[in-house]
Amino acid sequence: MIGGYVHSRHDREFEARIRAALEPGTRFLEVRDSGFFFSTAPWASEQKPFFSSSDLVALSEDLLVTPADSGRCGLLDLESGFLPDFLRRGGAAFDAIQSDFRMAVASNQGGRRKLFLASNRAGSGRIYYRKLADGMVFCSDLRFLLKIVPFEVDRMALYAILKYGSSPDPLTIGRDVFAVPVAHFLQYDPADGKDAIAPYFKYRFAEEEQPRGFDEQEALERVEAILRKSAKLLGGFRPAVLLSGGIDSSLYGCYLDREKAGPWQGFYCSFGRDDPEYPYACAIAQRLGVPLQVATMGRDGAMRALDDAVRLTDHPFADFSSLPISFLLPYVAGRAGKDALLIECNGGDDCFGFPALLDERKHRIKHAFPGLAKKGIARALAKSTLWKWETSEGAPARVAALADVHESSYLNYFLVQAPVNYLGLDRPAVWDGALQDLIERTASSCGENYPDLGYEAKTTIRQLIYINSARWASKALSVGESLGLRVVYPYIWRDVLLEQGKLPWNVKVRAGVVKWPLKRLLEEFMPVDFIYRKKSGFVPPFAHWLTDGDFNDKVRGILLSPGACVTEIVPARVLAELLDDARAGRRLRFPILNFLWGAIFSESWIRERQSK
């Protein structure tokens, strides 16, 4: 965890509060005449996590990697490799870092002190901050920040988690506490209290159709070369890898093997004998000669994981596969050891082809249906089961699905995680518009020539920053860091993000096959029936756990307790009915399950923080 306090007028009482909340052994870096930075858990490696001089102070606990243009990746030295570039280019220099990272820099160029804070390019790591009357306090862990500033729940952010699965930057669950948006940096001047946020990375895309003279084989070879460069570097750390049996982790494991990585360990979370992905995880582990260490998760494990997810995750979001990740990572930490490097392979779908790329027509049709008509249909069908049970089929069910939400942009439909119009939510009418404006603001600033981009490009940007960054990559990062693991995501490093933008859409999705480039590359190592199978994904039996009386009672106690924040937005009777359906074994649709998990996780997380 990194953080700091900078000011124009020193508040000694506030500084004492920060220092008292930090653990013994915390490293402090003085920012001359303006405050200090702190670092709690520098990674045990040859890379120094900070640099300090009279003109510059820089701090990052993440693995900082140089660009791979020279033919190989290397560790970035802050003093010689980053700061000279920063002196020339300011915040634009953050884009020269290859890996996913968070960083704080205090500059005193020209005698004017300025603070720069950078969040991850496409991962989940953020720098969170709170502006004060005469300064700013910031931290890479929202939990810590909410210990030292007042924690008031931002109801609109909570609604965003229930609707979209996460709150869009810069919102957080804490009112007046904000996140530096993904791929952006914040510049703050303590003297006048002014701040500005700007992107340091923008997604770039080639022509919408396959360009003339495009060499498909050469493009695949470039993707392979980029992944192998990072595998060569990361393999030297004797990493642990979450080896799910899916395309992304299997291919990366093959490149670790090809680059003759030092001994590495594969880990998998199984849900028992009926787990459909377990045989594939075993198959790739056997192919690579890697012992697969398996943590088997049952109902008791789910009960423990619910508490661990709340305790170990630095912000709430809605993705119920957080439960098995929170169950698996303590198992990994216990066997891989403190300061182990953990490779997570989220990002492959988002960069190389995902289903929503094919859904433009469906979203346009849904968007063309008037919003008022949707609300009328939802009111008429609210007491039916058409909108919530998987067993509902036919034309009435399709009409019900058509009416579950209305967005201001057809690009946002695939982001919505809950049937908003059916849940009787109590929220001000302005919230939906405000949230959609925030989504568009960050997405547009992350795309080069954004107004001219087509559906696929704008959808890819949304997929990377609102699904991968805000939800999928969030499952492991802060949990791992809380346990002493260093989690890296090589599929969202800079060179991969640039290369994916050069691929035509008909290469990313070939004859309906999503993620075709990675699947084609994997053909060198694994048989076709492994690669092109129908994949169930990393989906825990959350619905089954909800049928268990003890588990159901536990989450019912969380959601329906007196004073629960979530019931200020969702009627308690709706939550009770859904939990009754789940206990009875009704096959609730995936969006309903994610909505329930978002409500459970958010309420538990809020309660945990407010009790501190």
Side-chain angles (χ1 to χ4, degrees):
M1 179 178 74
I2 65 171
Y5 168 46
V6 296
H7 53 75
S8 59
R9 186 178 64 84
H10 190 190
D11 185 334
R12 297 184 184 279
E13 182 179 339
F14 187 71
E15 176 179 341
R17 191 188 314 164
I18 296 173
R19 292 180 180 268
L22 290 166
E23 298 177 357
T26 296
R27 180 190 297 273
F28 292 90
L29 297 172
E30 296 301 319
V31 176
R32 192 178 63 175
D33 302 326
S34 299
F36 60 89
F37 290 175
F38 61 81
S39 171
T40 63
W43 191 35
S45 77
E46 62 194 71
Q47 189 172 55
K48 192 176 180 181
F50 66 91
F51 172 80
S52 181
S53 72
S54 59
D55 293 327
L56 284 168
V57 180
L59 175 65
S60 176
E61 289 181 350
D62 294 306
L63 182 71
L64 303 179
V65 178
T66 60
D69 299 338
S70 62
R72 63 189 298 270
C73 298
L75 297 183
L76 178 69
D77 181 81
L78 270 177
E79 182 175 2
S80 63
F82 173 75
L83 293 178
D85 190 26
F86 183 85
L87 289 171
R88 289 192 304 271
R89 301 197 295 145
F94 291 121
D95 191 34
I97 299 172
Q98 166 82 343
S99 49
D100 43 316
F101 70 97
R102 295 147 293 181
M103 187 181 291
V105 179
S107 166
N108 195 33
Q109 289 179 272
R112 185 86 176 203
R113 181 71 68 188
K114 290 184 180 179
L115 173 69
F116 295 80
L117 304 174
S119 287
N120 275 355
R121 184 181 285 108
S124 70
R126 302 286 191 276
I127 297 289
Y128 303 98
Y129 64 96
R130 168 76 180 261
K131 289 191 70 174
L132 310 169
D134 297 293
M136 177 179 287
V137 60
F138 67 91
C139 188
S140 61
D141 193 320
L142 182 60
R143 292 169 296 183
F144 178 80
L145 205 54
L146 294 179
K147 285 182 182 178
I148 58 174
V149 299
F151 178 21
E152 297 180 50
V153 175
D154 187 317
R155 263 59 179 182
M156 187 168 73
L158 175 58
Y159 169 64
I161 294 171
L162 300 175
K163 179 180 180 180
Y164 295 110
S166 64
S167 55
D169 298 332
L171 288 186
T172 76
I173 195 67
R175 183 177 297 171
D176 298 324
V177 177
F178 301 101
V180 178
V182 61
H184 285 67
F185 70 92
L186 177 145
Q187 180 176 317
Y188 172 70
D189 188 332
D192 59 20
K194 293 181 179 179
D195 64 272
I197 291 177
Y200 65 84
F201 176 81
K202 291 198 174 192
Y203 293 96
R204 307 189 258 297
F205 297 92
E207 298 176 46
E208 300 297 321
E209 300 298 329
Q210 182 167 308
R212 185 174 300 173
F214 177 79
D215 189 323
E216 191 173 278
Q217 185 58 37
E218 181 182 329
L220 292 175
E221 289 172 358
R222 287 198 305 268
V223 173
E224 176 183 350
I226 288 169
L227 292 175
R228 288 180 61 179
K229 286 172 187 176
S230 66
K232 186 176 184 65
L233 173 69
L234 297 177
F237 292 100
R238 306 164 73 95
V241 181
L242 298 188
L243 201 60
S244 67
I247 300 301
D248 309 338
S249 63
S250 296
L251 181 63
Y252 204 78
C254 291
Y255 290 150
L256 284 170
D257 181 62
R258 174 158 287 179
E259 293 299 329
K260 298 180 172 54
W264 57 279
Q265 305 175 68
F267 290 89
Y268 181 77
C269 181
S270 171
F271 305 117
R273 289 177 296 179
D274 298 328
D275 184 344
E277 293 298 300
Y278 177 62
Y280 298 100
C282 292
I284 188 63
Q286 184 177 11
R287 164 66 177 78
L288 299 173
V290 176
L292 187 66
Q293 301 188 57
V294 180
T296 302
M297 183 180 185
R299 190 225 47 171
D300 291 342
M303 295 276 278
R304 293 195 305 273
L306 178 56
D307 295 329
D308 285 344
V310 171
R311 178 174 58 89
L312 298 173
T313 305
D314 82 332
H315 66 283
F317 60 96
D319 187 329
F320 58 78
S321 55
S322 298
L323 281 170
I325 291 294
S326 298
F327 176 81
L328 177 60
L329 262 55
Y331 179 89
V332 174
R335 285 152 182 80
K338 182 176 173 55
D339 279 328
L341 181 79
L342 176 65
I343 296 176
E344 245 278 54
C345 289
N346 278 309
D349 299 62
D350 321 86
C351 287
F352 295 103
F354 51 94
L357 292 175
L358 300 171
D359 291 341
E360 180 178 11
R361 182 173 178 272
K362 181 175 74 175
H363 296 326
R364 284 190 179 277
I365 290 172
K366 185 167 187 172
H367 189 63
F369 202 72
L372 289 176
K374 290 176 181 176
K375 290 182 179 180
I377 292 171
R379 282 194 296 269
L381 298 178
K383 294 184 179 180
S384 75
T385 63
L386 292 170
W387 59 276
K388 60 181 176 178
W389 294 352
E390 282 187 353
T391 51
S392 300
E393 297 178 351
R398 289 194 291 272
V399 171
L402 185 69
D404 57 11
V405 70
H406 189 77
E407 296 291 278
S408 61
S409 169
Y410 77 99
L411 295 166
N412 292 342
Y413 281 97
F414 84 106
L415 299 176
V416 178
Q417 298 294 300
V420 175
N421 287 340
Y422 290 98
L423 292 167
L425 304 183
D426 182 12
R427 83 280 192 187
V430 297
W431 280 5
D432 287 289
L435 291 171
Q436 290 171 62
D437 286 346
L438 289 176
I439 289 172
E440 184 65 21
R441 184 186 308 170
T442 301
S444 62
S445 68
C446 284
E448 191 170 89
N449 299 319
Y450 182 83
D452 298 329
L453 296 178
Y455 166 81
E456 292 90 350
K458 290 179 177 178
T459 298
T460 297
I461 292 172
R462 281 167 165 75
Q463 174 81 15
L464 277 157
I465 65 178
Y466 293 116
I467 294 183
N468 181 73
S469 175
R471 295 196 288 116
W472 290 352
S474 296
K475 291 178 289 190
L477 183 67
S478 59
V479 174
E481 291 182 341
S482 297
L483 297 167
L485 300 168
R486 283 294 176 264
V487 188
V488 295
Y489 297 84
Y491 277 101
I492 52 173
W493 284 13
R494 180 180 184 273
D495 281 3
V496 179
L497 295 174
L498 292 177
E499 195 61 38
Q500 66 83 25
K502 300 174 185 177
L503 296 175
W505 306 114
N506 62 3
V507 172
K508 289 188 176 187
V509 183
R510 173 66 56 85
V513 176
V514 297
K515 207 160 47 178
W516 183 84
L518 301 186
K519 292 177 178 178
R520 179 68 181 86
L521 289 169
L522 190 57
E523 287 180 12
E524 180 180 356
F525 305 99
M526 297 300 290
V528 168
D529 59 353
F530 178 98
I531 299 167
Y532 296 100
R533 70 187 190 269
K534 183 179 179 181
K535 190 176 184 298
S536 64
F538 189 50
V539 181
F542 183 49
H544 175 68
W545 293 333
L546 285 170
T547 66
D548 178 85
D550 291 339
F551 189 88
N552 194 291
D553 286 344
K554 180 171 183 172
V555 300
R556 187 181 297 265
I558 293 167
L559 292 178
L560 303 180
S561 61
C565 289
V566 72
T567 56
E568 296 179 17
I569 299 172
V570 188
R573 61 169 181 78
V574 172
L575 294 169
E577 288 172 5
L578 293 176
L579 291 173
D580 288 342
D581 287 338
R583 188 195 289 263
R586 304 288 189 187
R587 295 184 60 184
L588 293 171
R589 293 172 56 233
F590 192 86
I592 301 293
L593 293 173
N594 248 338
F595 163 78
L596 276 175
W597 170 249
I600 294 163
F601 190 24
S602 298
E603 187 63 42
S604 301
W605 197 95
I606 291 167
R607 187 180 304 180
E608 173 80 5
R609 306 284 88 76
Q610 289 181 333
S611 67
K612 297 298 185 182

